[in-house]
Amino acid sequence: GFRLILTPPSPTQPWPDPVLLPRFRSVLSEYHAAMEAVAHRVTRLLLASVGLPPTYLHEEQKAFSPHATAVTRLLHYAPVVSHVEEGLYGCGAHTDWGVLTLLLTEEEGLEVLCPREGGKEGEGWLRVPPCRKRKEEGKEELQGKEEEEEEEWLLICNLGDLLPRWSNGCLVSTPHRVVNREGKDRYSIPFFFSANPAAVVECLPPFLEEEEEEEGEGGREGGRKRKGKYPPIVVSEYIAQKYRSITVGMEETGEEGCKGSEKKEGNQVN
C-alpha cells in the first residue's frame, strides 16, 4: 500500500510521477486534510459525551499541540480467499494504537469483535457493510440538496488504544480484522489519527476512581484519592513500547501478523 504522512508534513515524502498521475498529490492531500478535520471533530464529540469541554484535550491537555500525528494509507488486499479455520486472513485481528481510525472502503471484508446479541455470553465477529450505500428511490432523502444523489458515502470509525487510557477503560478500542470471503480485490483508505508524540496521556477527571489509601505511619488514618488504572505515559514512549512488544513477538514465533497487531491471528495477505 501507499503510505502518506502529512501530519506533520514530511519533506521526504515520495510521490508518484505527476506525468503519470497528475492529480494524485492534490486529491490525496485534500482528502487527508478533510479526514483530519473530521477526526478532530469526532474527538471533541467524544469528550462532550462524557461531560468534558469539547476542547479539553486540545486546549487543557495540549494533546494535539503543536500538531496531531496522522497517516493516510492506500491499501490493496490480494484476491485471495481467507481461511479463518487455517489462520489465513487479509489482516489478522488487532487494535490500532492511536486515538481513532477513519476508514473508507467499497468492499466487504472488515469485521469487528462485538458482544453477542440478545445478552448471550462471549463475543463474536460482526461483518461491517461497505462505506458506499446506494440510495433507494423514494425511501431516503438527502437534506439540504436540490437533487438527490444516486449514492452516499459513510465513514467507519474505530476507536484506538489511547482512548482506554484516557477513559480508564470505559471507551474500548475496537478489535478488528480483514476476512476476504469472496476472493476479490479489496481496496481501503484508512486514516490513522493520534496525539502529538510529546503529549502525556493520563486518565481524564470524569473517569478517575476513588481508592482508599493505606493507614499511614504512627496510626495516621488513610485518606481517599482518585486515580486511574493506567499510569501517565508520553505518547512517543507508549508507541515505542508497542513496537517493542510486536518485535519480540515476531522474534519468538518467526511469524508476521498485521503490522500493529498485538492480538495476531494467523497470517495476512496484502
Side-chain angles (χ1 to χ4, degrees):
F2 182 81
R3 183 180 178 91
L4 168 71
I5 304 177
L6 279 183
T7 309
S10 172
T12 60
Q13 168 65 40
W15 292 96
D17 189 336
V19 175
L20 300 176
L21 297 171
R23 298 186 61 226
F24 183 87
R25 181 170 183 172
S26 61
V27 170
L28 202 54
S29 299
E30 182 180 353
Y31 178 83
H32 182 93
M35 289 301 98
E36 185 171 358
V38 172
H40 281 290
R41 183 176 181 184
V42 171
T43 302
R44 290 193 290 268
L45 290 172
L46 284 171
L47 292 176
S49 72
V50 298
L52 281 170
T55 58
Y56 186 83
L57 283 179
H58 292 75
E59 297 180 359
E60 282 79 359
Q61 295 288 309
K62 307 297 182 183
F64 306 106
S65 298
H67 54 72
T69 301
V71 177
T72 297
R73 298 186 69 192
L74 306 183
L75 300 181
H76 168 245
Y77 295 87
V80 178
V81 176
S82 299
H83 296 282
V84 175
E85 65 282 355
E86 299 177 8
L88 181 64
Y89 298 83
C91 185
H94 66 286
T95 55
D96 296 334
W97 296 351
V99 178
L100 55 86
T101 301
L102 300 173
L103 179 67
L104 193 65
T105 180
E106 294 186 69
E107 306 296 335
E108 292 186 352
L110 179 66
E111 298 183 352
V112 297
L113 189 62
C114 300
R116 297 189 184 277
E117 296 181 356
K120 297 179 181 179
E121 294 184 0
E123 297 173 313
W125 289 100
L126 176 68
R127 299 183 190 181
V128 180
C131 298
R132 175 179 287 185
K133 182 179 180 183
R134 296 197 175 276
K135 301 180 67 61
E136 298 182 24
E137 187 175 355
K139 291 186 178 181
E140 296 181 358
E141 295 182 359
L142 286 177
Q143 296 181 354
K145 292 191 176 183
E146 296 181 359
E147 298 181 0
E148 283 195 354
E149 298 179 355
E150 294 183 358
E151 59 190 19
E152 61 180 339
W153 288 87
L154 308 174
L155 285 172
I156 298 167
C157 180
N158 287 331
L159 303 186
D161 290 340
L162 290 182
L163 287 174
R165 300 188 72 95
W166 269 318
S167 67
N168 211 28
C170 292
L171 296 173
V172 182
S173 50
T174 312
H176 53 284
R177 67 186 186 184
V178 176
V179 178
N180 192 337
R181 300 184 182 276
E182 298 183 6
K184 295 180 179 180
D185 287 286
R186 182 178 182 271
Y187 299 89
S188 69
I189 309 177
F191 173 85
F192 300 97
F193 179 72
S194 190
N196 187 275
V200 176
V201 179
E202 57 186 335
C203 186
L204 300 178
F207 300 102
L208 291 171
E209 298 177 346
E210 283 194 355
E211 274 192 5
E212 189 169 351
E213 293 181 328
E214 297 180 1
E215 185 175 313
E217 295 181 3
R220 179 175 56 84
E221 292 186 1
R224 300 184 70 85
K225 60 180 180 179
R226 302 182 70 206
K227 61 181 296 186
K229 63 178 69 174
Y230 304 102
I233 191 170
V234 178
V235 172
S236 58
E237 174 56 26
Y238 175 73
I239 298 300
Q241 288 182 8
K242 289 287 191 178
Y243 274 115
R244 286 195 292 267
S245 68
I246 64 170
T247 302
V248 170
M250 290 179 185
E251 290 175 350
E252 290 178 349
T253 64
E255 297 178 354
E256 292 188 7
C258 182
K259 184 176 182 181
S261 171
E262 286 189 303
K263 305 173 183 177
K264 293 183 289 185
E265 285 190 8
N267 301 315
Q268 70 175 36
V269 177
N270 287 330

